[in-house]
Amino acid sequence: MTPDFSVFGETPSAPIALIATPGAEELATLIDNRLIKLFNESHLGKKLQKDTFIIKSTCPRFTNGDAKGLIYETVRGKDLYIICDPGNHGVTYTMMGKEIPLTPDEHYANLKRIICACTGKPERITVIMPMLYGGRQHRRTARESLDCAMMLQELYGMGVSDIITFDAHDPRVCNAVPFMGFDNYFAHYQILKSLVKKFPDINIDKNSMMVISPDEGAMTRNVFYASVLGLDLGMFYKRRDYSTIVNGRNPIVAHEYIGSPVMGMDVFVADDMIATGDSILKLAREIKEKGAHRVFLAATFSLFTEGVEKFSRAYEDGVFDAVISTNLTYRIPELKDCEWFLEADISKYIAFIIAAANVHESVSNLLDPSQKIRDLVARIGK
């Protein structure tokens, strides 16, 4: 069920304000438009129309690469939500006469600059970071840094009260900050909604469709899909060569499949992100070779760090039928021209989360989309 926001704006913890760090402006604008609609349809909104919740800010650079954070409006007493996209490599700056793309480190530094520019004046600071900075370096297995845990502790020390993120690589990293709010949401419903809209003939029943996890790390995500959809579950596990490191990781020797036969079935595969795409394409080929009817690949974050060419070739070869992802992080421009790419808009979902938090309403039903997914499945074919 969607929360009741009929009193949105009447009993807030403080007036809502949004700030987008460089690279997060697109998502912030979409969220802002959703919030404006919610506000203006509320009781208070009928009395006082709201134009925007966004507060102007910037992080200008000096020619040697140094930077600072600037906020152009007051944030005193605001319920402030700072939106940051550490994965946006499409933002550049000039340093020593060269055009330099922002790295995740620099995005995180900009976030800290904006928090510092607030000088402790907001009533509450919440960071919306859909893809966690350092999220892939979430645990220590040798003499390694703990980047994500360090980031969370640093933000807590700067006065951040809550983190809102999506599909954290390992949500147990929240143990690093036991006294800070850490809400880990998922885009399950929005991804399935996009899939059903594109493929209205899909039959979501265990005789026609199954879910396969690409590896053991993605099992929790795929168990959820299989359970709420009532489908059988299979799994691939990655056999790696731990004696070699290529591009910072141990290369995969083979994918081994465990599960019921996929012959004639539609197969849904979900992961948290697509980076190079090598693993998921190899998996899709193996599923097709085993006789699957259609293969749908889903990922919360579509990074495509090596471009889309290999995916376009695989699509033309019939290896997969669609890639479904979200607008939670930067998407390379080439994706707009790919007929195999489906994008789920998550801005409405985030607006509901912000509105619920602002009026002290529970977000439990927003954290668990099970009923909305069941309702979606029930509508198929009607």
Side-chain angles (χ1 to χ4, degrees):
M1 293 177 61
T2 300
D4 177 15
F5 295 118
S6 60
V7 295
F8 177 51
E10 289 194 33
T11 57
S13 58
I16 289 176
L18 303 178
I19 289 182
T21 61
E25 296 90 349
E26 179 186 357
L27 181 58
T29 300
L30 291 172
I31 295 169
D32 185 44
N33 291 336
R34 298 288 190 177
L35 282 172
I36 292 168
K37 189 171 186 295
L38 283 173
F39 183 92
N40 291 336
E41 289 176 352
S42 70
H43 178 65
L44 181 61
K46 293 174 183 176
K47 300 177 183 177
L48 177 64
Q49 294 294 300
K50 187 76 176 177
D51 294 326
T52 185
F53 291 93
I54 294 177
I55 289 179
K56 293 181 181 179
S57 65
T58 187
C59 291
R61 294 269 173 174
F62 300 100
T63 54
N64 69 336
D66 286 345
K68 63 180 177 180
L70 288 172
I71 300 175
Y72 294 106
E73 303 172 44
T74 181
V75 293
R76 187 182 298 274
K78 302 288 189 181
D79 186 13
L80 181 61
Y81 295 82
I82 304 176
I83 304 166
C84 179
D85 180 11
N88 191 339
H89 56 90
V91 181
T92 62
Y93 65 94
T94 302
M95 173 179 163
M96 304 295 185
K98 298 179 181 179
E99 201 71 15
I100 309 294
L102 258 66
T103 66
D105 289 348
E106 289 165 309
H107 281 291
Y108 176 49
N110 282 339
L111 171 64
K112 291 189 290 183
R113 292 183 178 109
I114 291 298
I115 295 172
C116 185
C118 293
T119 62
K121 297 301 189 295
E123 178 71 20
R124 180 174 65 183
I125 297 178
T126 299
V127 170
I128 300 176
M129 190 185 289
M131 187 172 68
L132 277 181
Y133 168 78
R136 299 178 77 175
Q137 186 53 32
H138 61 281
R139 63 179 178 178
R140 176 177 287 153
T141 56
R143 297 182 184 90
E144 298 177 340
S145 59
L146 288 169
D147 294 38
C148 193
M150 290 173 62
M151 178 269 294
L152 292 174
Q153 287 199 354
E154 193 167 15
L155 292 183
Y156 178 65
M158 295 180 74
V160 173
S161 60
D162 296 279
I163 291 280
I164 293 174
T165 191
F166 281 80
D167 207 347
H169 200 66
D170 189 338
R172 290 174 295 183
V173 74
C174 71
N175 292 335
V177 282
F179 298 109
M180 183 171 74
F182 184 99
D183 288 325
N184 182 40
Y185 293 87
F186 294 89
H188 298 321
Y189 170 73
Q190 290 80 6
I191 285 174
L192 287 173
K193 185 178 179 181
S194 297
L195 174 63
V196 170
K197 183 178 180 180
K198 178 68 174 181
F199 299 92
D201 63 327
I202 196 167
N203 291 318
I204 302 182
D205 64 72
K206 62 170 50 183
N207 296 318
S208 305
M209 190 176 185
M210 65 183 298
V211 176
I212 292 181
S213 177
D215 54 42
E216 57 273 23
M219 275 299 288
T220 300
R221 181 181 305 106
N222 286 276
V223 165
F224 175 85
Y225 277 114
S227 299
V228 76
L229 296 174
L231 304 178
D232 288 336
L233 175 68
M235 186 191 83
F236 277 88
Y237 70 90
K238 298 174 182 176
R239 194 147 51 83
R240 295 181 180 271
D241 180 4
Y242 288 98
S243 64
T244 306
I245 297 178
V246 179
N247 294 328
R249 59 181 180 173
N250 303 110
I252 298 169
V253 176
H255 286 89
E256 304 289 351
Y257 176 67
I258 303 172
S260 56
V262 303
M263 178 66 69
M265 304 285 281
D266 285 340
V267 175
F268 181 82
V269 181
D271 211 345
D272 59 341
M273 68 176 65
I274 293 175
T276 65
D278 292 337
S279 296
I280 203 162
L281 284 180
K282 186 174 181 180
L283 178 149
R285 287 191 178 92
E286 293 195 27
I287 293 173
K288 268 294 188 178
E289 289 171 0
K290 293 178 185 296
H293 176 217
R294 292 182 294 191
V295 178
F296 305 113
L297 308 175
T300 307
F301 306 109
S302 49
L303 307 183
F304 291 95
T305 56
E306 294 182 357
V308 299
E309 292 79 9
K310 68 178 77 172
F311 277 84
S312 294
R313 289 196 301 269
Y315 175 71
E316 291 172 1
D317 293 340
V319 172
F320 67 92
D321 293 83
V323 173
I324 313 101
S325 190
T326 74
N327 60 343
L328 287 170
T329 191
Y330 176 73
R331 286 88 61 218
I332 57 177
E334 302 93 291
L335 281 173
K336 294 180 180 179
D337 299 322
C338 297
E339 63 176 335
W340 45 264
F341 183 73
L342 308 179
E343 183 173 286
D345 181 14
I346 314 298
S347 61
K348 184 177 182 180
Y349 190 19
I350 298 176
F352 280 163
I353 294 167
I354 292 173
N358 183 248
V359 297
H360 308 290
E361 184 165 328
S362 171
V363 296
S364 298
N365 57 340
L366 291 173
L367 281 165
D368 184 5
S370 301
Q371 188 56 51
K372 292 191 72 174
I373 292 174
R374 293 189 187 98
D375 293 342
L376 175 67
V377 173
R379 292 195 300 268
I380 296 176
K382 291 186 178 180

